[in-house]
């Protein structure tokens, strides 16, 4: 059932969040790669409302720009309303709806610190509110341990009468296990009127949004509760332990939906996937893997074990083993790892390879080219089907500036080649082992740089007499003679 009334949604994000014990505002702590307030605003967006209002206050110099950034990701613009002093949730809502004075219809109020709330639940609340003809509907939930929550007080015949805060509740009321989730649907006109009637005559000396319910009821409006099917969705984050458990629950959901979409995830518990990651079908993820940011994994790719990929694009059929990578592209059927460090702007072509103990940065490596062992490749372009020998270094930094190396196609460089940039190596060229390439190498040339090898016979026995090396040398000579 879809709500037949226009909706506006007010997200409260002005509170201090002192229990986080953090210099970062609570709502900017992240789970699943998105700040808490981002989760709340994405859920709000899913409701397709006429307006989204975020109420900011505490540390708004940090919170406001973050909300602007999230607003840019959404289909609806987020209006920000400032609550100058945190005088309670009632005051916060009053500040929020002051930003949309013309609005008529249903106002949904939700909190920035409830990151697991699904848009569907907000839709169900709005629909049940309209269907019941209520002026106020509280989203309630049952809690085995209701400590700290506002209790839903009902009459003998089950009508919702009031919400009483934990700190204001009588011993009898404290036994109630149906509690206020902090999420409501209000008729805009009734809400505007009732907010004027609030007072701070309570244990916390604050203006409580929860009091609107009783005020509306006494004025003859219909009030009610809609009980959430899954109370886990309404878990609030107030401290770091709750942040971690909400993060785990969110991850469980993301990993689960990746599996339902056709990915094989060997160990869901040790696999962490941000909400912004995309994973195609027939992908395999091995244990201990984190896929973060805007990472995307194409069909038939295999990632892990023990890999962390941030903003990485992994092509179909690629294999990425024990790799730490950022902001880069791994081509179709490419091979990476184990123990590979991929830094920003690496573009690994189709079927190309970055092997063990290789570090790359700002490097375009063409189709079928290989950098198999123990190499640093930075600020470089490599053509197709070339092979870079083990233990090579692209010497890109002269202490002041970075320089570029160009390697052609079908090039084969020997082990321990140093490319002193800026330098160009033509198509089909070869280098000998241990070559230091300072000047351009023409296509098809073999480049060698060391002088002729010289053996100084008997040097060890003469200069290092009595050492194990000298003794070993003597024994070897005896065997020959
Ligand atoms: C509130 C409810 C309680 C409910 C609980 C659910 C009230 C009076 N109580 O209590 O019934 O069970 O949530 O979690 O509403 N905020 C502002 N400005 C303020 C005060 C708060 O924006 O001046 C924001 C906070 O940032 C937070 C939300 O409102 O997002 C809730 O405030 P909080 O102080 O956490 O209320 P609770 O005591 O948890
Ligand atoms: Mg709270």
């Amino acid at each position: 059932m879809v709500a037949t009334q226009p909706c506006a949604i007010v997200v409260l994000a002005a509170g201090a969040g002192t229990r986080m014990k953090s210099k970062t505002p609570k709502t900017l702590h992240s789970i699943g790669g998105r700040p808490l307030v981002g989760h709340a605003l994405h859920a709000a967006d899913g409701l397709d409302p006429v307006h989204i209002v975020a109420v900011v206050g505490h540390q708004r110099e940090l919170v406001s720009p973050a909300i602007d950034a999230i607003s840019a990701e959404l289909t609806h613009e987020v209006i920000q309303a400032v609550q100058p002093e945190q005088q309670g949730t009632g005051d916060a809502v009053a500040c929020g709806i002051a930003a949309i004075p013309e609005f008529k219809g249903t106002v949904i109020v939700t909190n920035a610190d409830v990151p697991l709330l699904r848009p569907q639940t907000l839709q169900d609340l709005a629909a049940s509110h309209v269907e019941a003809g209520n002026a106020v509907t509280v989203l309630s939930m049952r809690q085995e341990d209701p400590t700290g929550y506002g209790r839903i007080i009902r009459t003998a015949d089950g009508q919702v009468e009031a919400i009483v805060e934990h700190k204001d509740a009588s011993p009898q009321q404290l036994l109630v296990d149906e509690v206020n989730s902090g999420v409501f649907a209000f008729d805009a006109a009734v809400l505007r009127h009732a907010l004027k009637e609030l007072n701070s005559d309570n244990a916390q000396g604050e203006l409580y949004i929860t009091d609107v319910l009783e005020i509306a009821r006494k004025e003859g409006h219909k009030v009610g509760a809609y009980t959430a099917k899954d109370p886990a969705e309404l878990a609030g984050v107030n401290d770091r332990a709750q942040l971690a458990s909400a993060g785990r629950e969110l991850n469980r959901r993301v990993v689960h939906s990746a599996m339902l979409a056709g990915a094989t995830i060997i160990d869901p518990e040790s696999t962490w996937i941000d909400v912004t990651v995309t994973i195609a079908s027939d992908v395999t993820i091995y244990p201990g893997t984190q896929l973060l940011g805007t990472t995307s994994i194409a069909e038939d790719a295999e990632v892990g074990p023990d890999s962390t990929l941030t903003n990485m694009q992994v092509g179909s059929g690629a294999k990425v083993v024990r790799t730490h990578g950022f902001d880069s592209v791994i081509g179709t059927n490419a091979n990476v790892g184990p123990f590979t460090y991929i830094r920003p702007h690496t573009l690994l072509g189709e079927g190309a390879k970055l092997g063990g103990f290789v570090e790359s940065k700002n490097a375009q490596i063409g189709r079928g080219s290989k950098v198999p062992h123990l190499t640093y490749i930075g600020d470089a372009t490599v053509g197709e089907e070339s092979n870079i020998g083990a233990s090579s270094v692209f010497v890109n930094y002269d202490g002041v500036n970075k320089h570029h190396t160009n390697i052609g196609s079908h090039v084969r460089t020997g082990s321990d080649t140093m490319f002193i940039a800026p330098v160009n190596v033509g198509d089909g060229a070869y280098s000998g082992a241990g070559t230091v390439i300072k000047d351009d190498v023409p296509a098809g040339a073999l480049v060698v740089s060391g002088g002729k090898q010289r053996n100084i016979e008997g040097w060890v026995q003469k200069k290092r007499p009595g050492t194990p090396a000298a003794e070993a040398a003597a024994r070897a000579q005896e065997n020959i003679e």
Side-chain angles (χ1 to χ4, degrees):
M1 176 64 70
V2 174
T4 51
Q5 278 201 3
C7 251
I9 181 156
V10 176
V11 179
L12 305 185
T18 44
R19 280 173 283 169
M20 293 298 280
K21 307 224 164 72
S22 176
K23 56 188 170 304
T24 302
K26 171 165 86 175
T27 58
L28 298 191
H29 283 261
S30 289
I31 58 172
R34 180 178 280 163
L36 298 179
V37 66
H39 290 287
L41 292 171
H42 273 265
D45 199 45
L47 196 60
D48 197 19
V50 181
H51 301 293
I52 301 176
V53 181
V55 181
V56 296
H58 186 77
Q59 287 184 295
R60 67 174 189 271
E61 67 289 356
L62 299 174
V63 177
S64 280
I67 291 178
D68 284 336
I70 294 153
S71 179
E73 302 166 4
L74 303 179
T75 50
H76 302 82
E77 185 207 352
V78 178
I79 303 166
Q80 296 195 35
V82 175
Q83 184 193 22
E85 279 173 63
Q86 281 66 69
Q87 296 176 25
T89 49
D91 178 54
V93 173
C95 294
I97 62 158
I100 46 169
E102 309 293 327
F103 177 75
K104 291 188 180 65
T106 303
V107 176
I108 304 279
V109 171
T110 179
N111 292 335
D113 61 358
V114 187
L116 301 174
L117 185 57
R118 290 186 164 99
Q120 186 60 50
T121 304
L122 290 173
Q123 260 160 30
D124 294 346
L125 169 68
S128 114
H129 173 77
V130 171
E131 219 173 62
N134 286 346
V136 182
T137 309
V138 54
L139 182 61
S140 73
M141 56 179 178
R142 303 226 168 251
Q143 285 287 330
E144 242 170 68
D145 177 11
T147 306
Y149 287 102
R151 307 300 203 276
I152 309 287
I153 307 304
R154 291 180 183 260
T155 58
D157 61 352
Q159 301 295 310
V160 175
E161 212 178 1
I163 301 171
V164 177
E165 287 307 292
H166 184 102
K167 286 179 181 155
D168 300 296
S170 67
Q172 199 60 32
Q173 289 170 330
L174 287 177
L175 299 175
V176 173
D177 70 346
E178 187 187 4
V179 301
N180 170 24
S181 67
V183 180
F184 301 87
F186 296 102
D187 172 75
V190 173
L191 175 64
R192 280 200 184 89
H193 173 74
L195 284 170
K196 295 195 191 108
E197 310 284 307
L198 292 181
N199 65 61
S200 53
D201 187 10
N202 53 52
Q204 300 183 81
E206 287 184 354
L207 299 169
Y208 289 170
I209 189 61
T210 45
D211 287 348
V212 165
L213 195 136
E214 205 177 348
I215 293 167
R217 190 182 57 81
K218 284 185 175 156
E219 291 185 350
H221 299 288
K222 200 172 167 211
V223 306
Y226 172 76
T227 308
K229 294 183 192 104
D230 175 15
E233 261 186 54
L234 290 154
V237 173
N238 294 300
D239 58 36
R240 310 259 187 159
Q242 289 171 337
L243 183 73
S245 61
R248 181 163 285 288
E249 171 58 17
L250 181 67
N251 189 60
R252 191 196 59 74
R253 279 189 199 170
V254 174
V255 169
H256 190 75
S257 54
M259 293 190 290
L260 294 190
T264 294
I265 296 183
I266 306 294
D267 182 19
E269 295 275 301
S270 72
T271 302
W272 289 82
I273 305 176
D274 278 353
V275 293
T276 39
V277 167
T278 50
I279 299 178
S281 63
D282 287 320
V283 159
T284 304
I285 313 280
Y286 291 97
T289 294
Q290 298 95 45
L291 303 176
L292 309 175
T294 58
T295 294
S296 64
I297 315 288
E299 237 175 58
D300 301 318
E302 297 183 12
V303 181
D306 302 327
S307 294
T308 304
L309 304 185
T310 306
N311 308 328
M312 294 283 292
Q313 197 180 313
V314 177
S316 57
K319 291 189 171 55
V320 183
V321 181
R322 290 187 204 278
T323 293
H324 199 90
F326 300 92
D327 304 320
S328 292
V329 177
I330 295 172
T332 304
N333 297 325
N335 278 293
V336 178
F339 306 107
T340 306
Y341 181 26
I342 299 181
R343 292 167 53 203
H345 309 296
T346 298
L347 282 169
L348 188 62
E350 185 182 338
K353 178 181 172 114
L354 287 182
F357 303 100
V358 170
E359 174 178 338
S360 67
K361 185 215 75 175
N362 188 32
Q364 294 79 51
I365 297 156
R367 185 176 53 79
S369 286
K370 296 184 168 55
V371 187
H373 329 273
L374 299 157
T375 290
Y376 171 66
I377 175 166
D379 297 310
T381 305
V382 179
E384 296 182 354
E385 305 291 343
S386 287
N387 190 87
I388 306 298
S391 203
S392 294
V393 176
F394 286 68
V395 184
N396 58 338
Y397 188 48
D398 62 12
V400 180
N401 294 308
K402 298 272 166 71
H403 301 283
H404 203 85
T405 298
N406 291 303
I407 309 265
S409 294
H410 298 281
V411 169
R412 318 203 75 74
T413 61
S415 296
D416 201 19
T417 297
M418 302 290 121
F419 302 92
I420 315 290
V423 76
N424 301 297
V425 177
D427 288 347
Y430 274 54
S431 74
T435 300
V436 178
I437 301 180
K438 293 179 177 158
D439 300 314
D440 289 359
V441 180
L446 166 68
V447 52
V448 291
S449 66
K452 204 169 164 5
Q453 179 173 327
R454 205 154 62 96
N455 296 336
I456 301 166
E457 300 265 352
W459 186 91
V460 172
Q461 281 140 297
K462 197 163 152 201
K463 297 287 191 186
R464 300 285 184 272
T467 63
E471 286 160 15
R475 281 195 301 276
Q477 278 161 359
E478 272 165 34
N479 289 342
I480 292 165
E481 279 154 16

